[in-house]
Amino acid sequence: MQLNITDTLKKHQLSITDSRKKILSFFLQSANALAHADIEHKSGTEFDRVTIYRTLQTFVEKGIIHTIPTADNSILYALCKDECVAGHHHDDHVHFICDTCSTTYCLDHVSVPKVKLPKGFKAAQTDLVVSGTCNNCEQ
Amino acid sequence: MQLNITDTLKKHQLSITDSRKKILSFFLQSANALAHADIEHKSGTEFDRVTIYRTLQTFVEKGIIHTIPTADNSILYALCKDECVAGHHHDDHVHFICDTCSTTYCLDHVSVPKVKLPKGFKAAQTDLVVSGTCNNCEQ
DNA sequence: AATATTTTGCAACATAGTTGCACTGTACTA
DNA sequence: TAGTACAGTGCAACTATGTTGCAAAATATT
Ligand SMILES: [Mn+2]
Ligand SMILES: [Mn+2]
Ligand SMILES: [Zn+2]
Ligand SMILES: [Zn+2]
C-alpha cells in the first residue's frame, strides 16, 4: 500500500499542517501536473497565496514534487517518484504538454536520452519537454 | 556575406523602425541568448518596456528569434537560423544554460533526439535544455 | 501542560507582462 | 516628394506572479 499523506510528510521531516496536507492531497488526487494557480483555485480562500508558494518551495526542496519547465512563463509541479529525497531529485523522465487541453503529463516510462555536448560543457541536469496532442485529445 | 539588419527586417516583411533595428542588432552582436531584461538594460531609456515586449513577440512570430524554456520562470530569446519563417520554426537544437555564469547557448550542432511517446501522444515540438558548467567556466 | 520551534497570514513590495488609446513614424502612391 | 493610409510607439492603467519581514498562531518537544 502507498504511504498516506501524513506518513509522506513525516518521511520528509515536515511538520504536519493543514495546508501541507491539503496541497499534497491535490497532487495525489491529480494524475497530471499542477500550477500554483491551480492549487489556488482548488483551495479557494482556505490558505494565503504566500502559504501556497512556500509550501510548493518546501515540497520541491524536500523531494516531494518536482518542477517542469515550460515554453511559456509558467512553472508546473508534479509528484516525484519515491527515489527523490531532499536536495536530490531523480526525475529523468520526459514531460508532455498538450497544446489542446493544456494538460501536462509526466511520462515516467520515457526517460531523457543522454546527449553528447561540445568539449568543455558538463551536464548537471537535462530537461526534455514535448508539446503536441495528448491521447485524450486525438480524434 | 550575411544579411544586414535592414535586409533581415525587410525579408520578414517588417517595417524598419529604430527599435527593431536596435533590438535585432543586440542579438546579432551577442553570441548568446538574451532575456527581455537584458535588452531593457542594453537600451537604457531609449524605448518603452512595452515596445520591447512587442518587438520580441513580433520577432518570434516572424521567425527571427526563438524562445528557450528554462527551469526557472524566465523566457530567453536567441536568433533563429535562416530556415525559420513566420509561423514555422526549425530550431531543433539543444540549449545549454550554465549554472555558474548563467549564459545560455544555442548548441546549433547538437540536435534534439527523437523520443518514442506512449500510444496516442503526438509530438509537435520538442525542447531539450541542459544545465551544468559551460566551457568558459570549467577550471 | 509549558516551552521552543516552525509555520502561517497579512501587508507591503518588486518584477513581469498585457491592453487601450492617442500620437508618431514608416510605407506607399500619385 | 507631398499626402495619405497604416503600422508602430509611448503612456497610463491594470493584472498576474512572486518575495520579504514580522507578529500571531499552530505544531513539535520536554
Ligand atoms: Mn515529472
Ligand atoms: Mn536556440
Ligand atoms: Zn490534451
Ligand atoms: Zn558558464
Side-chain angles (χ1 to χ4, degrees):
Chain A
M1 177 223 149
Q2 219 183 331
L3 283 178
N4 68 24
I5 291 173
T6 303
D7 289 340
T8 303
L9 292 173
K10 277 189 186 147
K11 181 188 151 196
H12 291 91
Q13 288 139 48
L14 289 173
S15 40
I16 316 299
T17 68
D18 289 347
S19 43
R20 287 176 179 167
K21 281 190 284 187
K22 195 68 171 269
I23 292 173
L24 181 51
S25 82
F26 291 148
F27 282 104
L28 291 165
Q29 279 159 33
S30 164
N32 310 310
L34 299 174
H36 176 276
D38 296 325
I39 294 163
E40 211 171 329
H41 293 142
K42 277 174 192 277
S43 57
T45 56
E46 201 173 347
F47 318 109
D48 196 80
R49 281 179 340 112
V50 179
T51 300
I52 299 175
Y53 281 114
R54 291 197 269 229
T55 303
L56 291 172
Q57 261 178 230
T58 304
F59 283 5
V60 171
E61 282 160 17
K62 292 291 184 178
I64 298 174
I65 60 178
H66 62 277
T67 59
I68 303 170
T70 63
D72 69 339
N73 224 4
S74 73
I75 306 184
L76 293 169
Y77 302 87
L79 276 184
C80 288
K81 301 294 122 191
D82 289 340
E83 310 89 62
C84 294
V85 290
H88 201 163
H89 283 265
H90 294 272
D91 299 289
D92 58 346
H93 54 270
V94 170
H95 291 105
F96 187 95
I97 305 179
C98 180
D99 293 328
T100 306
C101 68
S102 293
T103 305
T104 299
Y105 302 82
C106 290
L107 302 180
D108 291 315
H109 302 295
V110 184
S111 56
V112 174
K114 285 266 178 304
V115 291
K116 196 173 179 333
L117 299 173
K119 199 169 179 317
F121 288 80
K122 289 210 178 58
Q125 204 201 326
T126 305
D127 284 298
L128 198 158
V129 180
V130 181
S131 58
T133 315
C134 78
N135 61 352
N136 239 344
C137 292
E138 62 161 357
Q139 74 303 54
Chain B
M1 178 222 149
Q2 219 181 328
L3 283 178
N4 68 25
I5 292 173
T6 303
D7 290 340
T8 304
L9 291 174
K10 277 190 186 145
K11 182 186 150 196
H12 290 92
Q13 289 139 48
L14 290 173
S15 41
I16 317 297
T17 68
D18 290 346
S19 43
R20 288 176 179 168
K21 282 191 283 186
K22 195 67 171 270
I23 292 174
L24 180 51
S25 81
F26 291 148
F27 281 105
L28 291 166
Q29 281 159 31
S30 164
N32 310 309
L34 299 173
H36 176 275
D38 296 324
I39 294 163
E40 210 171 332
H41 293 142
K42 277 175 193 278
S43 58
T45 56
E46 203 174 346
F47 316 110
D48 195 79
R49 281 178 341 111
V50 179
T51 300
I52 299 176
Y53 281 114
R54 292 198 267 226
T55 303
L56 290 172
Q57 261 179 231
T58 303
F59 283 5
V60 170
E61 280 160 16
K62 291 291 183 177
I64 298 175
I65 60 177
H66 61 275
T67 58
I68 304 170
T70 62
D72 69 338
N73 224 4
S74 73
I75 306 184
L76 292 168
Y77 302 87
L79 277 182
C80 288
K81 300 297 123 190
D82 290 339
E83 310 88 62
C84 293
V85 291
H88 200 165
H89 284 267
H90 293 272
D91 300 289
D92 59 346
H93 54 271
V94 170
H95 291 105
F96 187 95
I97 305 179
C98 179
D99 293 328
T100 306
C101 67
S102 292
T103 305
T104 299
Y105 302 82
C106 289
L107 302 180
D108 292 313
H109 301 296
V110 185
S111 57
V112 174
K114 286 267 179 305
V115 291
K116 198 175 174 347
L117 299 173
K119 199 170 180 320
F121 288 80
K122 290 211 177 56
Q125 204 201 326
T126 306
D127 284 299
L128 199 159
V129 180
V130 181
S131 58
T133 315
C134 79
N135 60 352
N136 239 344
C137 292
E138 60 162 357
Q139 71 309 54

